[in-house]
Amino acid sequence: GADDTLLGVLVEAPDVLTRPVLRLVGQLTTRLQALDQVLRVDSLTTVTDLGGTDGGAMDTTPLFATVPEDPAALAALRARALSNPLFKGRVVSRDATLTGILADLKPEVERAREVGAAMKSIEAVMKEMDLPPGVKLHLIGVPKVRSDAVDMIIADQFTFLPLGALFTGVLLILLYRSAHGLLIPMFAVLLAVTYTVALMAALDLPLDILSNVLPLLVMVYGVADAVHMLGRIHEEVGSRGRRKLGIEMAVRHLGLACLVTSATTAVGFGSLVSAEMHILRRFGLMAAAGVMVAWAVTLVVVPLGAGLSRLDPAKVRRRNAMGRRLDTLLSRVADFSTRGPRRVVLAAALIVCACVVAGTGVEVNNFLLGIYHDDHPTARSTRLAEARLEGLVRMQISLQGAEDAMKRPDVLKQVDNLQTWLESQPGVTSTLSMTDFVKEMHRAVMGSRALPDSQQAVAQLLLMVEGETGLERHVTFDYSRARVEVRLRDVGAIKYLKLVDRTRARMASHLTAQGITARVTGTSLVAYRGINRLVKDLLVSLTLALGIIGLVLALLFRSLRIGLISLLPNTIPLAVGLGSMRLLGMRLEPVMVMIFSIA
């Protein structure tokens, strides 16, 4: 099955191998297994160490199925748990201060709402536990990260939309110093946001990591057009002395201009349809639609509101005095630019080039825990697991050969060598495959932890425990397919994908000769590649958007020269942003590239 359905409940205590803590682990295991969303639970009380202290006996009973009252018996079980490679560092930390309860969610628990409900059920069980003194519980796992991401998206909407509206309102009050100057633009942008969200709902489009920014984005673009329109209405009414004529002239002059700017913006976002990933194409189309909705609403609502507000030309002229002072300042800037246009264009081009050169070293990277700040409980708990148990990130290696191929000693030897090599790689915390089970079986029967020399000996060991040890999660019934599970710290996409490449090269030179087809797979690999491809898709679409905007403006003004010059104010913010990211040591992630697309 997939590896992104696994949750870990960490039990932290001064000593987890004591009777009170082991009883707690047993109770938690039973309660979690009873949940409708959970398929299977593994813990200290359910897994076996495949043998006793003496060779010649194999016991598939879970090691802590019952917690002995006798201190000597408990001490013996403790010694077995901390000396067994299948337990040590996997199920219980080497210092016995941390143990993990692994819950595998059912395959049908897939959508965000279902995963969120499962998290709430598990967290409710954890809160109901009567914890012994000094014991703490932590919840980690990919489903937990997904659930937290959805919760944060929802919280962001309820935080930043009101905050954005508040800041916009304050600026409008400072700008217009009137009730209509606040209410008309605010009503227009909020109506545009409402229509855009309603359109998403009508098309059954979800709020995801990208479309999450759409409501705020539409608000920002919408208020720009509304301010342009209302400002021009004030100018026209003040200069002409007649409200109706001033509104008509403002709409005539600015309606087309705002259409061109909105259409150009929509074309820029629409260029995202060239992306390979559906999530990007969906965002681009919805952003383009939202911008055009904002223009249409502004064109209707602002003139209507201005007409209903009964503007007094005399009052408008007085309010326009601040605008005239700003006009004077802007005129000086324009004079400076027109006196030396080549100098200005050359300086702008040099700024772009310098920033692009500085920004070429920005790395495209992402981390599973990248959505959290350092002090977030899930981030702290995950780092705790990485330090004392296994990493949260997984890499799966799929092995395939003929029937009974996985019983051959030469194949097992190469798989064991691969695991030894993998465990020496940076970031890898542990590996697990059927070879670990076979070596433990050999220890239980023969007294030494080793791989048998003959296929018959391997088959005999496997026959003794078939279907009783969880071995079926690592090899198929006919022993033609198997998998190696690799656990890693959250090392990021770059290091993860480099490890994948090194692993493939090693498998090609060692396992292919045994007739085994080996592939690296797993949800983490898909996720890291997908997010990196998302960033590259955004960069390609961004380049395409710049080209389209330049072409549209060249056609609009019937001048290739103007089209090229118009690219400078579009590229300068992007180049400065890229250069700043390099200087600040920031990574290029999907959200960062989204900022470039908006700019």
Side-chain angles (χ1 to χ4, degrees), residues 299-317:
L299 193 65
V300 175
V301 169
V302 175
L304 178 63
L308 293 173
S309 64
R310 302 192 177 279
L311 298 176
D312 182 350
K315 289 182 179 180
V316 168
R317 278 193 291 270

Side-chain angles (χ1 to χ4, degrees), residues 113-180:
R113 187 179 291 108
E114 297 156 355
V115 173
M119 293 306 102
K120 287 182 173 58
S121 298
I122 292 171
E123 287 169 346
V125 169
M126 293 167 61
K127 288 178 182 177
E128 291 169 3
M129 290 292 105
D130 185 15
L131 303 182
V135 175
K136 298 177 183 178
L137 300 181
H138 312 270
L139 183 60
I140 65 169
V142 173
K144 173 63 174 169
V145 175
R146 288 178 59 196
S147 178
D148 285 347
V150 172
D151 289 343
M152 284 190 278
I153 284 175
I154 294 172
D156 284 350
Q157 291 297 333
F158 282 103
T159 300
F160 291 111
L161 270 177
L163 204 59
L166 176 63
F167 285 157
T168 301
V170 170
L171 290 173
L172 289 171
I173 290 172
L174 292 175
L175 183 62
Y176 292 115
R177 291 170 293 165
S178 66
H180 77 267

